[in-house]
Amino acid sequence: MVGIPAGRILLHDEGTRRSWNVEVEGFRLGAYPVTRELYEGVLGGEAAGAARARVPVSEVSWLEAVRFCNLVSREARLSPCYSMGDDRDGLDVVCDPGAGGYRLPSEAEWEYACRAGSPGVRYGELDEIAWHRGNSGGRAHDVATRAPNAWGLYDMIGNVWEWCWDVYDPGVYGPYRVFRGGGWGDLPRACRASCRRKSHPTFHIDDLGFRLARSV
């Protein structure tokens, strides 16, 4: 995991034209999304073949990502961050970032880490940093095969979208959660540091994964 320094980020929602500042404490973030190899290894499922082991895991819902965070925390002998019941909407999930275990990043943490100090639309030339519709060949690729950002984070743009902790807009979309970053099938407009998407916590699709975070 990569250490991310404390700082501040201005978030913006294009739909509502709302902007808000968030103070970000120092934290740690996975250098790349969770791979099929790690995911299936922790869950004890069928091992990923060598050709797909380093591809980001996908078809994982927000609720499944949260459960995985707790599982990998226990495997690492860390206290899990999440407590949860069986609510299909995930409204009973409570996060204690100070517990010390693995968790999903907040969307402020995600965008702050993605930008790595860059004020631009993205942290580099799209073809150099990301797998997207124009160069992916219609599939996900091994992690860390495009250029990283200034903080050593790979695939923050493109390859797969990444779940974040936050509820998108509860007054309008109820329990829908945020995901960020763009995927292998997206056009350049979606592959921007500020682009926000959302769906139900049970939603899963072939270009949506996640990466692990930990509080310092």
Side-chain angles (χ1 to χ4, degrees):
M1 302 189 83
V2 176
I4 307 298
R8 192 180 193 189
I9 182 73
L10 176 67
L11 300 182
H12 178 72
D13 181 76
E14 294 175 348
T16 62
R17 298 184 180 179
R18 182 171 67 96
S19 297
W20 63 103
N21 280 298
V22 181
E23 297 289 338
V24 177
E25 296 182 358
F27 69 106
R28 298 185 66 80
L29 188 65
Y32 43 78
V34 171
T35 61
R36 287 172 55 93
E37 180 179 46
L38 175 60
Y39 191 80
E40 292 165 5
V42 171
L43 265 62
E46 183 178 350
R52 301 287 291 170
R54 297 277 293 171
V55 171
V57 70
S58 60
E59 296 283 1
V60 177
S61 71
W62 184 87
L63 287 169
E64 289 169 333
V66 165
R67 292 189 186 102
F68 179 84
C69 288
N70 278 355
L71 286 172
V72 76
S73 294
R74 293 188 182 101
E75 188 169 278
R77 298 184 179 180
L78 299 171
S79 297
C81 290
Y82 298 109
S83 59
M84 58 193 304
D86 55 5
D87 181 10
R88 184 177 180 275
D89 290 334
L91 296 177
D92 59 354
V93 179
V94 177
C95 180
D96 175 11
Y102 294 99
R103 58 178 176 82
L104 297 177
S106 70
E107 70 165 324
E109 289 174 332
W110 188 95
E111 185 172 333
Y112 176 69
C114 176
R115 290 186 176 280
S118 170
V121 170
R122 56 186 70 91
Y123 53 84
E125 293 297 323
L126 184 59
D127 280 340
E128 295 177 4
I129 66 171
W131 295 111
H132 60 98
R133 184 180 295 188
N135 66 3
S136 70
R139 62 182 177 87
H141 289 257
D142 286 0
V143 297
T145 50
R146 299 280 89 182
N149 70 9
W151 291 346
L153 299 169
Y154 295 86
D155 301 294
M156 294 295 290
I157 300 292
N159 218 2
V160 294
W161 291 87
E162 300 177 13
W163 284 114
C164 295
W165 161 253
D166 306 65
V167 177
Y168 185 85
D169 184 346
V172 177
Y173 296 100
Y176 277 30
R177 299 282 174 163
V178 174
F179 50 90
R180 293 294 209 106
W184 52 261
D186 285 289
L187 294 169
R189 179 168 177 76
C191 297
R192 296 174 294 128
S194 62
C195 188
R196 306 175 75 221
R197 295 281 174 88
K198 77 281 185 188
S199 195
H200 192 270
T202 59
F203 176 73
H204 56 89
I205 198 169
D206 60 359
D207 66 349
L208 175 56
F210 66 105
R211 90 175 58 207
L212 298 173
R214 280 189 71 194
S215 299
V216 174

